[in-house]
Amino acid sequence: MNNSSGLFNINRRMFLNILVSGVGVYLTKDVIFPEIASANDNGFYERYHVFIPYDIARRGGIQKVTLRSGDTCQLPIPAKIIEDNTISIRKIGLQGNDVKFILHTLYDPDVRIADKIYQEIDQADFLRKSATKSQVKQIYELVEDSEYIEDTISLDLLQYLVASSNLDEQIRQRYEIAHQNCLLNIIEKALETALAKSEISEDKKKKLRGTYQYVRASEPVPDFSYLTELEAIITGSDIPVAIKRSYSIASAKSRAFTVDTIIIKLITEKSKGQKQEEFLLTYQEIRDGKKISDPETLKSLDSFILESDILNSCKLVYLTAQGRFFENAELVDLIAKSNLTEERSKSYKEDWEKIFQVALQLSDQGVAVVPTIKGILHTLGAETATGVLLSQAPLTATLAYLGGGSVAAGGLGMLGGLAVVTGGAALIGAAGLVSVALVSQMDGEDYKNLGIAAVTGTLIGAAAVFIAWTGASALGVAGTLSGAAAITTLISALGGINVITGGASLIAFGAGFVVWSFLKGKKRRDANILHQLESRLYTLTEMPTSPKLVEFLDFINNKLNKQYTISGFEIAPNITLDKLSNALSSYAASFLDSDEKILALKDTWNDGKEGVILTNQKLIWKSGRSSPDFIYFYAILEDTKIPRLFNDKDYIHFSWMMEEIGKKYDNIQI
């Protein structure tokens, strides 16, 4: 079979052998995955990757770990552990299995990793050198100690700084694990906060905690209902959008891995000979989102799966994966709709054509996908227990083929970051869309019982993410992107097309999962990316919760965009990153105080060297050859001279607005 997309390069016979051996021959487990072959007298070790804070790793102590059973283990940590130390405890896992803990830490008895990272921070070309360096160093200390971090924007910046540094590869990898551990801390706190408010039983809380551990490990789950409730809890939390998306992708992978295991087991056990071979190959095409080479076999496979006794939930994901929502849309004028200019190179246009095509479909198809799935749900229903447990069946073939960093396949799970799957893009996208549909069917009583607010308003945006993920993966876009220009443009272009984030801000999306997945292969630092990520420190990246700040943003938005219609102003959190970083670099950086955020920006010159900025405290501007200047809101009076960066009509209206700000607002707290 020809796999021209480059997503999965394996010959036909090898593929069939892997599938059949993985689900049918227990003794081949040590050939497919030697790491999993370290079985004890109870079967397999359960594996957990655990990050240990610096002080505990150095002095010894106790680390709390939640197991897949939902029980908690107090893990004793000896002093002076090193990276990849393992600790085994007998008979505490599922079905009495022994458990192996693989330990990770930024403590090192031979080298002070912090000193090397501080040196990278000191040498970085930041726009606001002193302020940014101090902020990022403080974040590193929290990362090292596995503390809860609220400032995820600084965390994003530090991650890029380390990933693009000349540090030893092992140090970069160890830091990446520590970084991901901080993101998991945020998810886990959101889960525990919801459970503390919930009205569910202690047994169900334990089951939810245990199911989360399967998702964290990127492994199949034993019960779909808990997976859906976890998705609702995280979606309904107040954690950053990018972290919600990372969790949703991990959850979708676990659902897809479960479905894949069940369907492959069905095909290998219930079909024989040539028919089995044809079914497996056609199913591979379905889960990868490729064109079906044998329509007649597809019809037979549909009947075979839909008439089987497997979970209806699995049938639903299977049907949704065939929706081919990223493939059949009418082609659009990509140049006009994505603001690409004549100067863009031909190769650039070709690189981006497919991802733009996927993004532009969302406005037409994204809203329609969820109701369609809900109709199928109404017909088929959605069961709970999957019957799939790692301790019960060899699942290594599925995990090997789909990839995604599963712990059972020798990866780190979510602790290893976003592992792009090697196959199954359509299946994962379908599983994600089904998750969206299932959460959308929950009612107010369900949300109350789980201790969360209603989440349906965010679901269309989530559906858009899975469509984009599936389209980008299955169409091979990730493989075509290269170079600093492509990545820099990705940050702006994907966020600029609002439908791809369901209306969420460009800046929140800027360091989200798509960007980081493409950054994985990039080693050399790009100053534009560094500055754009740094600029996020000095503006809003999410809609604020402070009533006074919300009121102020509404005020300036209504004045600028509705009452006076002064064109060109961008309001946080929807300020374009390249404009923001250019403004900071050219005239604004030295005027910002430590507690100040940029709330609105108008670029009056296309290179970003002139413009006007509103912060929560002051007005900053740069015009022509004159020096940049600023004025605090409290100092604005009726006769205050406002910068002439507008035409006469807009100048008058902007002056009136600033006078009103001077009377109503002085210092808006962030």
Side-chain angles (χ1 to χ4, degrees):
M1 176 180 175
N2 179 25
N3 294 292
S4 58
S5 70
L7 286 173
F8 180 61
N9 186 18
I10 187 169
N11 69 47
R12 187 168 180 261
R13 181 61 57 187
M14 185 184 298
F15 168 69
L16 292 172
N17 287 341
I18 287 177
L19 291 183
V20 174
S21 63
V23 296
V25 185
Y26 180 87
L27 293 177
T28 61
K29 63 184 183 297
D30 56 340
V31 177
I32 300 173
F33 284 105
E35 183 179 356
I36 297 180
S38 54
N40 53 41
D41 55 7
N42 289 322
F44 297 115
Y45 278 113
E46 277 181 40
R47 279 177 165 74
Y48 296 83
H49 287 269
V50 184
F51 182 82
I52 308 300
Y54 185 93
D55 197 49
I56 293 178
R58 183 169 69 93
R59 298 183 181 183
I62 299 295
Q63 181 70 30
K64 178 181 173 182
V65 181
T66 302
L67 305 177
R68 291 178 183 85
S69 63
D71 292 323
T72 298
C73 171
Q74 300 294 328
L75 185 63
I77 306 297
K80 299 187 183 302
I81 66 163
I82 61 173
E83 181 71 8
D84 286 332
N85 269 169
T86 61
I87 296 175
S88 297
I89 300 181
R90 290 186 55 85
K91 301 182 184 299
I92 65 169
L94 296 167
Q95 300 182 343
N97 283 348
D98 293 355
V99 173
K100 180 175 286 187
F101 301 93
I102 302 99
L103 309 183
H104 306 275
T105 182
L106 286 175
Y107 167 75
D108 194 305
D110 299 322
V111 62
R112 181 76 170 107
I113 292 176
D115 291 340
K116 294 184 175 294
I117 291 181
Y118 288 158
Q119 187 175 22
E120 283 292 326
I121 295 171
D122 287 333
Q123 294 173 351
D125 177 28
F126 291 128
L127 298 172
R128 301 190 71 216
K129 291 181 171 52
S130 178
T132 300
K133 287 177 182 178
S134 175
Q135 200 163 337
V136 174
K137 285 181 179 180
Q138 290 175 17
I139 289 296
Y140 175 78
E141 293 175 3
L142 297 177
V143 172
E144 187 179 62
D145 293 333
S146 188
E147 296 286 347
Y148 183 84
I149 294 177
E150 293 186 1
D151 183 8
T152 57
I153 308 307
S154 295
L155 190 63
D156 286 337
L157 177 58
L158 178 58
Q159 185 198 28
Y160 180 70
L161 195 69
V162 174
S164 61
S165 71
N166 291 320
L167 289 167
D168 181 80
E169 179 65 22
Q170 187 180 58
I171 291 178
R172 291 204 301 268
Q173 291 174 354
R174 290 174 67 176
Y175 175 80
E176 176 66 15
I177 292 172
H179 168 87
Q180 294 299 328
N181 175 70
C182 289
L183 301 185
L184 295 181
N185 286 343
I186 294 171
I187 293 171
E188 286 155 20
K189 182 179 179 181
L191 173 58
E192 290 303 321
T193 299
L195 293 182
K197 296 177 182 177
S198 71
E199 300 177 4
I200 60 178
S201 68
E202 290 302 317
D203 181 65
K204 186 169 183 179
K205 290 179 183 179
K206 190 169 85 167
K207 294 287 179 56
L208 284 166
R209 292 186 182 105
T211 302
Y212 167 74
Q213 292 303 318
Y214 285 96
V215 176
R216 177 178 166 134
S218 296
E219 290 172 356
V221 298
D223 194 310
F224 277 150
S225 67
Y226 296 123
L227 194 63
T228 299
E229 291 177 342
L230 281 171
E231 183 67 39
I233 287 172
I234 302 305
T235 304
S237 71
D238 59 0
I239 65 178
V241 171
I243 299 178
K244 289 182 183 180
R245 289 185 175 134
S246 294
Y247 176 80
S248 293
I249 290 295
S251 178
K253 288 197 300 189
S254 287
R255 186 182 293 274
F257 293 169
T258 310
V259 171
D260 198 66
T261 299
I262 291 170
I263 290 179
I264 290 177
K265 186 172 185 290
L266 172 70
I267 294 173
T268 54
E269 289 185 354
K270 302 296 184 180
S271 64
K272 296 180 181 180
Q274 181 67 25
K275 181 63 71 175
Q276 181 183 102
E277 182 174 319
E278 291 170 353
F279 278 178
L280 287 171
L281 289 172
T282 298
Y283 175 62
Q284 178 196 357
E285 293 171 344
I286 291 170
R287 66 182 179 182
D288 287 350
K290 295 191 169 89
K291 184 176 181 180
I292 302 300
S293 58
D294 188 346
E296 291 303 314
T297 297
L298 175 61
K299 292 179 182 178
S300 299
L301 180 60
D302 285 347
S303 298
F304 175 78
I305 289 177
L306 296 178
E307 293 172 8
S308 72
D309 60 358
I310 66 171
L311 295 174
N312 288 333
S313 300
C314 296
K315 297 174 185 178
L316 173 60
V317 173
Y318 170 80
L319 290 173
T320 307
Q322 290 189 55
R324 314 188 69 77
F325 38 76
F326 53 84
E327 191 175 83
N328 295 324
E330 182 179 354
L331 290 176
V332 296
D333 185 351
L334 299 171
I335 306 304
K337 293 197 175 185
S338 59
N339 294 320
L340 297 178
T341 64
E342 292 290 331
E343 288 74 23
R344 300 291 193 188
S345 68
K346 180 180 178 182
S347 62
Y348 171 88
K349 293 175 183 177
E350 291 174 350
D351 282 350
W352 289 100
E353 184 178 70
K354 290 178 180 177
I355 192 63
F356 280 136
Q357 179 183 338
V358 172
L360 290 168
Q361 288 179 54
L362 301 182
S363 58
D364 296 327
Q365 297 192 22
V367 176
V369 168
V370 172
T372 300
I373 299 174
K374 287 176 70 174
I376 298 172
L377 276 174
H378 180 72
T379 302
L380 295 179
E383 301 91 343
T384 55
T386 65
V388 175
L389 285 173
L390 284 174
S391 60
Q392 293 176 341
L395 311 175
T396 54
T398 286
L399 298 173
Y401 172 69
L402 295 176
S406 169
V407 170
L412 293 166
M414 292 183 72
L415 198 62
L418 180 70
V420 179
V421 292
T422 54
L427 196 71
I428 293 170
L433 288 167
V434 167
S435 293
V436 170
L438 288 166
V439 172
S440 73
Q441 293 203 132
M442 298 173 71
D443 58 24
E445 191 66 24
D446 294 323
Y447 298 140
K448 179 183 176 183
N449 288 340
L450 290 171
I452 57 176
V455 297
T456 51
T458 67
L459 293 178
I460 294 301
V465 167
F466 285 114
I467 294 172
W469 162 269
T470 305
S473 300
L475 292 171
V477 174
T480 68
L481 298 175
S482 61
I487 296 171
T488 304
T489 306
L490 178 65
I491 294 175
S492 297
L494 291 185
I497 303 173
N498 287 334
V499 290
I500 205 165
T501 60
S505 78
L506 157 62
I507 295 174
F509 189 65
F513 73 87
V514 174
V515 172
W516 289 118
S517 71
F518 290 141
L519 282 176
K520 291 297 183 184
K522 180 175 173 56
K523 301 299 181 185
R524 192 162 54 90
R525 184 173 302 160
D526 183 288
N528 289 331
I529 296 175
L530 184 69
H531 292 164
Q532 288 182 19
L533 292 176
E534 181 190 2
S535 69
R536 299 167 74 237
L537 300 178
Y538 304 109
T539 188
L540 301 178
T541 59
E542 308 264 348
M543 289 304 297
T545 56
S546 164
K548 193 72 171 177
L549 185 54
V550 170
E551 176 191 322
F552 183 64
L553 283 173
D554 286 343
F555 172 81
I556 60 176
N557 186 49
N558 287 331
K559 291 290 182 181
L560 294 173
N561 294 321
K562 295 180 182 179
Q563 184 174 347
Y564 298 139
T565 61
I566 302 175
S567 63
F569 264 102
E570 296 181 357
I571 312 295
N574 294 298
I575 300 175
T576 309
L577 281 175
D578 55 357
K579 290 182 182 179
L580 184 61
S581 62
N582 287 340
L584 279 168
S585 175
S586 300
Y587 63 90
S590 61
F591 293 136
L592 292 178
D593 296 329
S594 59
D595 59 346
E596 199 166 4
K597 299 287 188 184
I598 293 171
L599 302 180
L601 179 150
K602 179 179 172 64
D603 181 14
T604 59
W605 193 253
N606 58 15
D607 60 2
K609 293 181 179 179
E610 296 180 21
V612 59
I613 285 173
L614 276 72
T615 75
N616 56 312
Q617 298 179 13
K618 64 171 76 86
L619 176 68
I620 305 172
W621 67 88
K622 172 72 170 68
S623 177
R625 296 182 179 180
S626 62
S627 299
D629 206 350
F630 74 95
I631 185 170
Y632 283 98
F633 293 151
Y634 66 76
I636 296 175
L637 304 172
E638 290 186 8
D639 59 349
T640 299
K641 295 295 183 183
I642 299 301
R644 279 195 168 273
L645 298 177
F646 311 92
N647 59 46
D648 289 342
K649 178 183 175 183
D650 287 351
Y651 171 76
I652 293 170
H653 289 160
F654 188 72
S655 298
W656 288 347
M657 186 188 82
M658 293 310 301
E659 288 174 18
E660 197 169 346
I661 288 176
K663 294 173 183 177
K664 283 186 174 183
Y665 305 97
D666 47 16
N667 184 348
I668 311 300
Q669 295 299 313
I670 298 295

